[in-house]
């Protein structure tokens, strides 16, 4: 602090002698020693960074501790060697491939099962609609006009064609579904032998669930076929009765005409 004060006084003296008045020029020339001392003090203060140092501002030449830490952390990152992935064994690759096969076959099974269930359900609905129209026709024999009877018979034929198409869909999807079931069985066996017991158990469970659902849908379609067969038997009997009633009515009309002639 003492040195600073002395240097400050020297500088003020030197600065105070600069050309305030023209008469000060001789004084400035006589104070050369003072100017030299002031310049030397300024160099000292500049070298020690006392004169131009502001509070809160750090030298650019000296990085702070946080910068040192950041640099060291980056150096540690780039200096650390990358970990190499261990080579997979054949058994591990086979298990992974078996897992992919089980997932794909399970998806194939679910899609074919859904298609077959929809086909069986649609077939059962078409058959029930045909049964309703068939029974309505049998109940109205001899009571409908020719136009109404023809319209009802046309609806029955349309519903018969609809049921036939749905039955073809059932056969087609059932064949694909059976292939998916067999594929799932092979995939489950392959997964089990390769060490994927969990995947094999899951796939076999999916097979059992699909088979149960298909069996329930088959029962519905079989029940519809049974009711359709009963309706056909009823139709044969009703048509026979109707034909017999027509014959009796014809004979009765002939007999009355014969009596009138007599």
């Amino acid at each position: 602090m003492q040195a600073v004060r002395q240097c400050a006084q020297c500088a003020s003296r030197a600065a105070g002698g600069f050309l305030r008045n023209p008469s000060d020029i001789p004084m400035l020339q006589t104070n050369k020693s003072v100017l030299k001392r002031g310049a030397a003090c300024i160099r000292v203060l500049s070298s020690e960074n006392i004169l131009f140092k502001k509070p809160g501002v750090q030298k650019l030449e000296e990085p702070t501790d946080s910068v040192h830490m950041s640099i060291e952390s980056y150096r540690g990152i780039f200096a650390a060697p990358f970990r190499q992935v261990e080579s997979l064994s054949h058994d591990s690759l086979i298990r992974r491939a078996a897992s992919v096969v089980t997932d794909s076959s399970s998806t194939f099974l679910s899609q074919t099962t859904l298609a077959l269930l929809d086909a069986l359900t649609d077939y059962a609905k078409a058959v029930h609609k045909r049964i309703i129209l068939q029974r309505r026709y049998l109940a109205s024999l001899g009571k409908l006009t020719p136009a109404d009877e023809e319209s009802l018979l046309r609806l029955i034929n349309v519903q018969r064609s609809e049921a036939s198409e749905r039955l073809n869909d059932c056969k087609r999807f059932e064949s694909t579904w059976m292939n998916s079931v067999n594929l799932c069985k092979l995939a489950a066996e392959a997964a089990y032998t390769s060490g994927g017991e969990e995947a094999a158990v899951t796939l076999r469970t999916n097979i059992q669930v699909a088979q149960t659902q298909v069996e329930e849908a088959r029962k519905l379609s079989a029940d519809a076929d049974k009711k359709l067969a009963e309706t056909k038997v009823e139709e044969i009997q009703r048509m026979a009765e109707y034909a017999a009633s027509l014959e009796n009515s014809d004979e009765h009309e002939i007999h009355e005409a014969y009596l009138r002639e007599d």
Side-chain angles (χ1 to χ4, degrees):
M1 293 298 295
Q2 187 67 24
V4 172
R5 290 176 181 175
Q6 292 179 358
C7 292
Q9 292 176 359
C10 294
S12 62
R13 290 175 182 175
F18 284 155
L19 298 178
R20 290 185 179 180
N21 295 311
S23 60
D24 293 336
I25 295 176
M27 186 182 297
L28 180 62
Q29 294 176 352
T30 58
N31 291 336
K32 289 182 179 180
S33 60
V34 177
L35 292 175
K36 291 180 179 179
R37 290 176 58 188
C41 292
I42 292 173
R43 286 195 297 270
V44 171
L45 294 176
S46 300
S47 62
E48 294 181 359
N49 200 17
I50 297 175
L51 184 60
F52 301 103
K53 185 175 181 181
K54 295 182 180 180
V57 180
Q58 298 177 351
K59 293 183 179 180
L60 296 177
E61 291 80 2
E62 298 180 359
T64 60
D65 295 338
S66 60
V67 176
H68 278 298
M69 294 176 63
S70 301
I71 294 174
E72 293 298 329
S73 61
Y74 280 116
R75 288 177 179 176
I77 292 174
F78 290 107
F82 291 100
R83 296 180 60 185
Q84 296 181 353
V85 180
E86 297 180 358
S87 59
L88 298 175
S89 62
H90 290 296
D91 293 333
S92 177
L93 293 174
I94 291 174
R95 283 193 299 270
R96 292 189 178 188
S99 177
V100 173
V101 172
T102 53
D103 292 341
S104 301
S105 58
S106 180
T107 302
F108 184 38
L109 176 64
S110 63
Q111 293 298 324
T112 55
T113 302
L114 181 61
L116 180 57
L117 292 176
D118 290 342
L120 291 171
T121 302
D122 293 341
Y123 171 72
K125 291 179 180 179
V127 171
H128 282 295
K129 290 180 180 179
R130 178 186 172 184
I131 292 172
I132 292 173
L133 294 175
Q134 197 78 23
R135 289 180 175 177
R136 183 184 301 175
Y137 172 74
L138 295 177
S140 60
L141 279 175
K143 301 177 183 180
L144 297 175
T145 62
D148 293 338
E149 183 177 357
E150 183 179 359
S151 176
L152 185 56
L153 290 175
R154 188 181 301 108
L155 290 176
I156 293 173
N157 292 330
V158 170
Q159 204 60 41
R160 182 184 293 109
S161 300
E162 180 71 17
S164 178
E165 291 179 1
R166 299 288 79 80
L167 182 60
N168 292 332
D169 292 339
C170 290
K171 293 179 180 179
R172 179 166 55 88
F173 286 124
E174 187 172 5
S175 177
T176 307
W177 178 77
M178 289 299 300
N179 292 332
S180 67
V181 171
N182 295 330
L183 179 61
C184 286
K185 290 180 179 179
L186 293 175
E189 183 178 357
Y192 183 80
T193 55
S194 61
E197 292 84 0
E198 184 177 356
V201 172
T202 302
L203 189 55
R204 288 170 181 171
T205 302
N206 294 339
I207 294 173
Q208 294 176 357
V209 172
Q211 289 176 341
T212 302
Q213 293 176 346
V214 170
E215 286 299 325
E216 293 177 357
R218 283 175 176 173
K219 289 179 181 180
L220 295 176
S221 63
D223 183 66
D225 289 336
K226 182 179 179 181
K227 291 181 179 180
L228 179 61
E230 293 174 355
T231 303
K232 289 181 178 180
V233 173
E234 182 181 353
E235 180 183 2
I236 293 173
Q237 294 176 354
R238 185 71 182 87
M239 293 300 293
E241 293 174 358
Y242 180 69
S245 64
L246 289 177
E247 290 179 359
N248 292 333
S249 63
D250 291 340
E251 290 179 358
H252 183 69
E253 291 177 357
I254 292 173
H255 182 66
E256 288 182 351
Y258 177 76
L259 291 178
R260 285 195 299 270
E261 290 178 358
D262 291 342

